[in-house]
Amino acid sequence: MKLPKPPAPSLLATDLYQLTMAQAYLEHGLGEAEAVFEFFVRKLPSQRNFLLACGIEPLMDDLVRLRASEEELAFLDADGRFSKEFLDWLAEFRFTGDVDAVEEGEIVFANEPILRLRAPLPVAQIVETLIINRLQFSTMVASKAVRVRFAAGERLVVDFGMRRAHGIEAGLFAARAAYIAGLDGTSNVEAGMRFAIPIFGTMAHSFVQAHADEAAAFRDFAATWPENVVLLVDTYDTLAGVDAAIALAKEGVKLKGIRLDSGDLLTLAKEARRMLDAAGLQETMIFASGDLDEYRIAELVAAGAPIGGFGVGTKMVVSADAPYLNCAYKLMEVDGRPVRKKSAGKATLPGAKQLWRRWDDRGLMREDVIALADEEVSDATALLRPLIRGGAPARPVRPAPAVRDATQARLARLPETFKTLDAAPAFSVQLSARLAELAQRL
């Protein structure tokens, strides 16, 4: 089945100053100037040893489909501040540039170019807001979710974040980012449809409350979903709920699992496991949810909680401990002339660049080198690869499962030092001699 695409973004999903600058560029002879912009993260959050670049393939699809509708042009016309010539230019807007980017799910570090865009200056300017929005959010969530994956080990982990995400679209792309980072699936049905992500879910407390008693609720649910009997046991008294689930299993129902959603998860999981095992239900899994993140999961695992799976929601989809990335999309070159910004704390490296990675003799990541785009770095792999050429896709948009598999292969080559939830020594990121000299000269 062909996967349906999310709706194309509006051309007006941008900041006003992108449009005011674009009109000024066109009026003053810069409409055809070739610009190079790069997206990068200035500084890693203190709780992150690396980032997982994410949102790149959906962004490619957005850029090639970006158009101005008649309704949008009418809105800008009625606003009164834009010239007829500029509105005519917007009516014909197409992204015609080139984009190079790291692979979706690539491991990246501070100040490394994640995406490089080459296009006419006003075109490159207008798409800035879209690029930052798409890449910042998905990279932020993926970089949180991979920590959840590390904490949970091989246990089942499912994204439960849709209802607490900051908007429906945010919930959709958070589910994708979390799955690419290594989670096993999502409760978000639309994400399952659009991105081929496995979907999970059983019942809520309201289902139990809607029945005269808990046992009747369990029995009805099992009758409707006999192959997916995972029962939420903490609506009233948790251990009494476990007893009710066991009683149903003794009637011949295949009890796949029970879910704990509140209380002292460690104590309750241990007692529930004892009760299930005593009833001969050693294969029945205990699944836990409720205000979880990588730190809480790590505590439960370290304490020996007999929990086979976790549902993780709010704290992951909003990246509660690091809810934004200090990222930027900055001009690096105009008509072949390298430029740089020197603002305190926000200085940039000039010129169009390439990112290279070196490996040790075990095949693990050893060092990154940021170089100028026309340089070759010995014994290294170039990470920025063609994404768009002349406004057309240069690589296919892959289903999320394929991206997830490739991401897991990359993570296997990340040294264990960087997989801890604690701060690790900074990964080695060097500048080539030519780039360092250019930055100094400018």
Side-chain angles (χ1 to χ4, degrees):
M1 183 183 74
K2 185 176 180 180
L3 299 176
K5 296 178 180 179
S10 165
L11 187 63
L12 302 194
T14 191
D15 294 297
L16 177 62
Y17 74 173
Q18 313 290 14
L19 299 179
T20 57
M21 284 189 287
Q23 179 169 316
Y25 288 145
L26 291 164
E27 289 181 358
H28 296 282
L30 290 172
E32 298 301 321
E34 185 179 73
V36 175
F37 281 77
E38 292 176 357
F39 174 86
F40 59 96
V41 176
R42 291 191 179 100
K43 183 180 180 181
L44 300 187
S46 60
Q47 307 92 330
R48 305 287 184 268
N49 294 322
F50 65 92
L51 299 175
L52 277 187
C54 197
I56 292 162
E57 290 184 8
L59 172 65
M60 175 180 70
D61 195 55
D62 287 341
L63 288 173
V64 300
R65 292 193 292 158
L66 199 57
R67 305 285 188 274
S69 70
E70 291 184 5
E71 182 182 17
E72 290 165 348
L73 293 169
F75 168 79
L76 293 178
D77 188 27
D79 180 75
R81 77 184 77 197
F82 297 104
S83 68
K84 180 181 184 303
E85 291 76 13
F86 180 62
L87 294 178
D88 289 343
W89 182 84
L90 282 179
E92 300 299 320
F93 181 93
R94 301 291 186 273
F95 182 78
T96 56
D98 296 342
V99 179
D100 294 80
V102 302
E103 289 277 2
E104 188 95 17
E106 185 59 84
I107 298 164
V108 294
F109 302 91
N111 291 309
E112 296 187 336
I114 295 171
L115 176 145
R116 183 182 72 231
L117 180 146
R118 187 182 296 272
L121 183 54
V123 172
Q125 196 75 69
I126 284 175
V127 299
E128 172 181 2
T129 304
L130 173 64
I131 288 170
I132 293 176
N133 178 277
R134 284 292 195 237
L135 299 186
Q136 191 274 161
F137 178 74
S138 288
T139 298
M140 177 189 76
V141 175
S143 302
K144 176 73 169 178
V146 72
R147 291 162 59 84
V148 172
R149 176 77 274 167
F150 289 162
E154 297 300 316
R155 296 165 186 82
L156 177 73
V157 188
V158 179
D159 157 49
F160 275 10
M162 177 66 172
R163 62 185 61 197
R164 303 286 176 79
H166 295 168
I168 296 296
E169 187 184 62
L172 181 68
F173 285 101
R176 180 181 181 275
Y179 181 66
I180 287 170
L183 269 63
D184 296 289
T186 180
S187 65
N188 187 328
V189 180
E190 184 181 6
M193 176 186 73
R194 295 196 184 278
F195 303 126
I197 301 173
I199 52 177
F200 291 79
T202 54
M203 63 164 63
H205 293 106
S206 55
F207 187 85
V208 177
Q209 292 171 300
H211 288 75
D213 61 70
E214 193 171 47
F218 290 174
R219 189 171 291 107
D220 283 357
F221 189 85
T224 300
W225 302 104
E227 299 304 315
N228 191 33
V229 184
V230 180
L231 303 176
L232 182 59
V233 296
D234 69 336
T235 304
Y236 307 118
D237 179 292
T238 301
L239 297 181
V242 176
D243 270 331
I246 290 171
L248 189 64
K250 289 180 177 179
E251 295 176 10
V253 170
K254 181 183 177 183
L255 183 60
K256 184 177 180 181
I258 62 168
R259 178 157 73 97
L260 306 174
D261 190 53
S262 59
D264 181 345
L265 294 178
L266 175 60
T267 301
L268 290 170
K270 287 183 173 180
E271 181 58 19
R273 182 77 273 157
R274 185 197 64 77
M275 295 166 67
L276 291 167
D277 289 351
L281 299 172
Q282 289 84 359
E283 299 302 314
T284 298
M285 183 180 74
I286 298 174
F287 187 89
S289 57
D291 205 28
L292 297 177
D293 61 9
E294 69 269 39
Y295 300 108
R296 182 63 181 134
I297 291 172
E299 289 175 357
L300 289 166
V301 170
I307 296 172
F310 299 96
V312 186
T314 305
K315 291 184 178 181
M316 183 180 67
V317 299
V318 303
S319 188
D321 61 328
Y324 68 93
L325 296 177
N326 184 350
C327 59
Y329 171 88
K330 294 299 179 185
L331 181 65
M332 301 298 175
E333 186 179 287
V334 182
D335 279 340
R337 174 175 60 89
V339 298
R340 75 174 303 195
K341 180 178 174 181
K342 292 180 65 179
S343 307
K346 293 187 176 182
T348 60
L349 295 168
K353 291 179 286 299
Q354 175 62 274
L355 177 62
W356 298 81
R357 178 155 294 160
R358 289 188 171 122
W359 314 89
D360 67 16
D361 55 8
R362 299 168 296 169
L364 300 180
M365 294 168 48
R366 177 170 64 86
E367 179 182 65
D368 284 359
V369 180
I370 306 173
L372 294 171
D374 62 354
E375 289 189 82
E376 291 287 330
V377 175
S378 62
D379 301 319
T381 304
L383 297 187
L384 293 178
R385 298 177 52 247
L387 186 72
I388 296 175
R389 286 292 180 266
R395 47 175 124 151
V397 174
R398 296 167 295 169
V403 181
R404 181 183 187 273
D405 290 345
T407 301
Q408 300 314 300
R410 290 190 191 93
L411 289 168
R413 302 184 74 180
L414 176 69
E416 291 298 318
T417 304
F418 300 95
K419 296 180 182 180
T420 175
L421 302 185
D422 301 319
F427 186 78
S428 176
V429 179
Q430 305 297 323
L431 304 186
S432 72
R434 279 184 57 198
L435 176 56
E437 187 278 328
L438 177 63
Q440 179 64 30
R441 176 160 52 84
L442 290 183

